[in-house]
Amino acid sequence: MTLDKKVEMLEARIEALEDQLRKAETIRAEKFELVKNGKVSMVLQAGPYGGVLAIYNKEGKQVALLSAASEGGLLGLYNKDEKKVAVFGAGSNGCLLFISNNDEKPVMGLYAASDGGLLEIYNKDGKKVSRLSNDSYGGLFVIFNKDEKLVATLCTDADGGLLGIRNKDGKTAAGLGAVSEGGVLDIYNKDEKRVVALGAIPEGGVLDIYNKDEKRVVALGADLDGGELDIYNKDEKQVVALDADPVGYGGLSIFNKYAKLATWLGALPDGGNLSIYNKDGNPVAGLGAEPDGGLLILWTPDGSVRSKAPE
């Protein structure tokens, strides 16, 4: 190959490279504006985390902003008055979406949390009024009052569903839920002390009433023989029991402060019966009905009959 031929081939290769460079020319700038009729319609520039693209309407007002943020991409949307109404992007736990009203107050937030999805609803003043999420047991729904105090919770626990009601100060006022035997309703006073419990037991229903110190003072429920009413003193010692016996008769038992039987009034096959006991729980007197009439028996402390009438 002659020298002239080699020079011709080299010049052709140089011309081809220059053509490629012209086609691949790069414009380098920190900010690029696209203008129409004297108004900016698009701005592309560098931001603190990367690229930023702003979109404007025909009146030159910003309606969208696409940018790089600390956690990833971020898209902001604006109304015709340039007020931000939506934000869509990447958060620390995944995707997030925030919706705002025309006053730029947030009214809804939807995003991924560390343990699942989370939806929050806000009122017109931007205060949170409800939240839908999940916890270790399942779904969780929370309601707040206008002061953002928690007032209601609907969730699940190990036994099933649970509804919690709170007062305006965020203190527990009532709880409705499920236990192993069925449903249960708890009522609390203003100091969050339980004062009433209504629930299911193996024999049926039961109602417990507590004093201000959360000590049970009354229990009304069902047992294998019928209904039962128990009354307790301030030390939770039983002092009264009104119930039915296995045969079907009613009885009233009164106990001393040591929970020992002091008096029993009830029904027997022949009629009424009254039994009186000493402080140790031993019978000392009995008054009852027999087929022939009334009967009175007195016992000594050791259980021996002292007297009986009629003989």
Side-chain angles (χ1 to χ4, degrees):
M1 182 182 293
T2 63
L3 179 60
D4 290 340
K5 188 64 175 177
K6 291 182 177 180
V7 171
E8 182 180 352
M9 292 178 62
L10 181 59
E11 289 176 345
R13 291 175 63 184
I14 293 174
E15 184 177 353
L17 289 172
E18 288 176 345
D19 184 63
Q20 291 180 12
L21 288 173
R22 282 194 296 271
K23 292 179 179 180
E25 183 177 4
T26 300
I27 299 176
R28 295 180 177 275
E30 291 187 0
K31 185 176 181 180
F32 175 79
E33 292 187 355
L34 183 62
V35 180
K36 183 178 181 180
N37 298 327
K39 293 184 178 181
V40 175
S41 59
M42 183 184 300
V43 175
L44 178 64
Q45 62 183 352
Y49 296 103
V52 178
L53 174 64
I55 306 295
Y56 299 81
N57 63 15
K58 63 181 181 179
E59 283 82 25
K61 293 184 177 181
Q62 183 175 323
V63 293
L65 180 67
L66 179 63
S67 65
S70 58
E71 304 295 342
L74 193 64
L75 171 64
L77 299 178
Y78 302 79
N79 64 16
K80 64 180 181 178
D81 299 317
E82 289 189 299
K83 292 185 176 182
K84 188 182 296 182
V85 294
V87 175
F88 178 66
S92 58
N93 295 303
C95 184
L96 58 82
L97 170 65
F98 287 104
I99 305 295
S100 303
N101 60 21
N102 286 331
D103 296 322
E104 294 188 291
K105 296 288 182 66
V107 294
M108 188 190 77
L110 176 65
Y111 51 95
S114 58
D115 54 357
L118 181 63
L119 171 65
E120 292 185 334
I121 305 296
Y122 304 82
N123 64 17
K124 64 179 182 178
D125 299 318
K127 292 185 177 181
K128 183 165 49 185
V129 294
S130 64
R131 176 193 297 151
L132 180 63
S133 63
N134 68 287
D135 59 14
S136 58
Y137 291 106
L140 175 63
F141 181 55
V142 179
I143 296 178
F144 304 84
N145 64 16
K146 64 180 181 178
D147 299 318
E148 293 188 289
K149 293 288 184 66
L150 178 64
V151 294
T153 303
L154 180 62
C155 61
T156 62
D157 62 12
D159 295 313
L162 182 64
L163 171 64
I165 304 296
R166 299 172 183 251
N167 63 19
K168 65 179 182 179
D169 299 318
K171 293 184 177 181
T172 301
L176 176 64
V179 295
S180 58
E181 303 298 340
V184 62
L185 171 64
D186 291 329
I187 306 295
Y188 300 81
N189 64 16
K190 63 180 181 179
D191 299 318
E192 292 188 290
K193 298 289 184 67
R194 184 172 61 171
V195 293
V196 177
L198 178 64
I201 57 175
E203 294 80 11
V206 63
L207 170 65
D208 290 333
I209 298 178
Y210 303 81
N211 64 17
K212 64 179 182 178
D213 299 317
E214 285 190 298
K215 292 184 177 181
R216 185 170 58 176
V217 293
V218 177
L220 175 63
D223 62 17
L224 296 176
D225 300 317
E228 181 175 356
L229 172 65
D230 297 328
I231 298 178
Y232 303 82
N233 63 19
K234 63 181 181 179
D235 299 318
E236 290 189 289
K237 296 289 183 65
Q238 187 176 10
V239 292
V240 176
L242 179 62
D243 58 8
D245 66 15
V247 181
Y249 297 108
L252 172 66
S253 300
I254 299 177
F255 304 85
N256 62 23
K257 65 178 183 179
Y258 305 108
K260 290 188 177 182
L261 185 62
T263 304
W264 183 81
L265 176 64
L268 294 175
D270 294 322
N273 184 274
L274 172 64
S275 298
I276 299 175
Y277 302 79
N278 63 17
K279 63 179 182 180
D280 298 319
N282 298 318
V284 294
L287 177 64
E290 287 192 331
D292 297 329
L295 177 65
L296 172 63
I297 302 177
L298 301 179
W299 289 273
T300 62
D302 61 4
S304 301
V305 176
R306 173 178 296 174
S307 62
K308 182 178 180 181
E311 291 292 339

